[in-house]
Amino acid sequence: MSRLATLLALLLALGLAACGDDDDDGDSASTTGGDSTAQAGTATGEDTGSGCPEVAQPPAKEEGGEEEPDGELDASATHEVTVQTSCGDFTITLDVESAPATTASFVALAEKGFYDDTFFHRIVPGFVIQGGDPTGTGAGGPGYSTLDEPASDAAYTKGVVAMAKAGNEPPGTSGSQFFVVTGEDAGLPPEYAIIGEVTDGMDVVERIGALGDPTEQPLQVITIEGMEVEES
C-alpha cells in the first residue's frame, strides 16, 4: 500500500466510530445528520440525477431502550436481511459463525423495526456507507453493546458489512451502526465485527456510495425504510 493510501485508510478508520452504547464517551463519528437535507429546488420524490429519488430526512429517534437478545441464530441455516432504502434494496447474507452475538443483535433490531425510518448519516465515496443510528448524529445506538472479536486476517473488501465502534472500545464491539464497504479494499485493521456481505443489490450500494462529499456528509438523504429478515 502506498504512503498516501495508508494515510487515507488511517484517517478514514478513525471515523468509523459510534457503537452507540449509552456509556459513549464522545469518541464517535463526527458526522451529523443535521446537514443531510434535501437539495434546494428539488421536489420530494423527484430523481436528482443520482438514480435515487429525493426524500425528506426522517426525524431523529431516541436512542437506547433496547435489550440485548439472549440467544443466537441457527448457524446451520442461511439468514438474509434485505435492506429497503429510498434508493432501492440490497440484501446482506449474514455470517453467523464469525459473529454470533452481533448477528443475533442485528436481526433482533431489524425485526423490531429499530432501523425503520433512519438514514445513512455517513457516506465516503470509494470507502463506506454507514447507517443504523436512530439519532442520525453518528453517536446513537440501542443502549447496549455486543462483542465478537474479528479474526486477525479479517478483510474489509467491497461488499463486506461490518459494525462501527468507538475508537477506545475493544475490537469487535458493536451497537447498531453498520457500514458497507464500497471500495475494493478499505484497508481497515481487524477491529470491526463482520456480520456478512452484500449478495444482491450491490449496484444500489454503489449508487448510495457515490453520494458523499469531502466531509463525509451525504449529498442527499438516503433513508432506510425497513429491513426484511429471511431464514432458509
Side-chain angles (χ1 to χ4, degrees):
M1 182 180 293
S2 69
R3 180 180 177 184
L4 177 59
T6 301
L7 178 60
L8 178 60
L10 177 60
L11 291 174
L12 292 175
L14 293 175
L16 280 174
C19 140
D21 195 326
D22 283 346
D23 295 328
D24 182 63
D25 65 355
D27 287 340
S28 59
S30 59
T31 314
T32 60
D35 291 334
S36 302
T37 53
Q39 296 177 3
T42 304
T44 299
E46 289 187 5
D47 192 329
T48 62
S50 65
C52 304
E54 191 70 30
V55 296
Q57 180 171 299
K61 299 181 179 181
E62 292 185 5
E63 69 169 324
E66 301 294 335
E67 294 185 4
E68 182 179 355
D70 294 330
E72 298 177 355
L73 302 175
D74 181 1
S76 66
T78 298
H79 302 268
E80 295 181 327
V81 179
T82 298
V83 183
Q84 301 161 334
T85 84
S86 57
C87 194
D89 299 350
F90 63 89
T91 300
I92 305 167
T93 298
L94 300 181
D95 185 351
V96 176
E97 291 187 357
S98 294
T102 311
T103 51
S105 173
F106 186 75
V107 165
L109 292 173
E111 291 180 332
K112 289 179 181 178
F114 181 88
Y115 294 110
D116 297 5
D117 300 318
T118 60
F119 61 95
F120 289 96
H121 63 274
R122 181 171 183 249
I123 300 177
V124 189
F127 188 57
V128 301
I129 61 174
Q130 184 171 330
D133 177 3
T135 69
T137 66
Y144 67 83
S145 61
T146 59
L147 183 64
D148 282 310
E149 186 171 354
S152 60
D153 60 350
Y156 303 89
T157 52
K158 192 172 187 176
V160 164
V161 185
M163 304 301 289
K165 73 177 189 70
N168 64 337
E169 292 177 315
T173 301
S174 306
S176 61
Q177 292 190 43
F178 66 95
F179 62 90
V180 184
V181 178
T182 59
E184 292 302 320
D185 187 344
L188 294 169
E191 295 186 357
Y192 307 94
I194 294 176
I195 61 170
E197 64 178 330
V198 174
T199 51
D200 189 37
M202 193 62 200
D203 58 325
V204 173
V205 174
E206 290 175 333
R207 282 201 300 273
I208 298 172
L211 298 174
D213 70 12
T215 67
E216 306 182 0
Q217 293 286 336
L219 293 172
Q220 75 177 78
V221 177
I222 304 295
T223 59
I224 296 175
E225 299 169 350
M227 292 190 182
E228 182 177 331
V229 180
E230 292 187 2
E231 178 181 338
S232 59

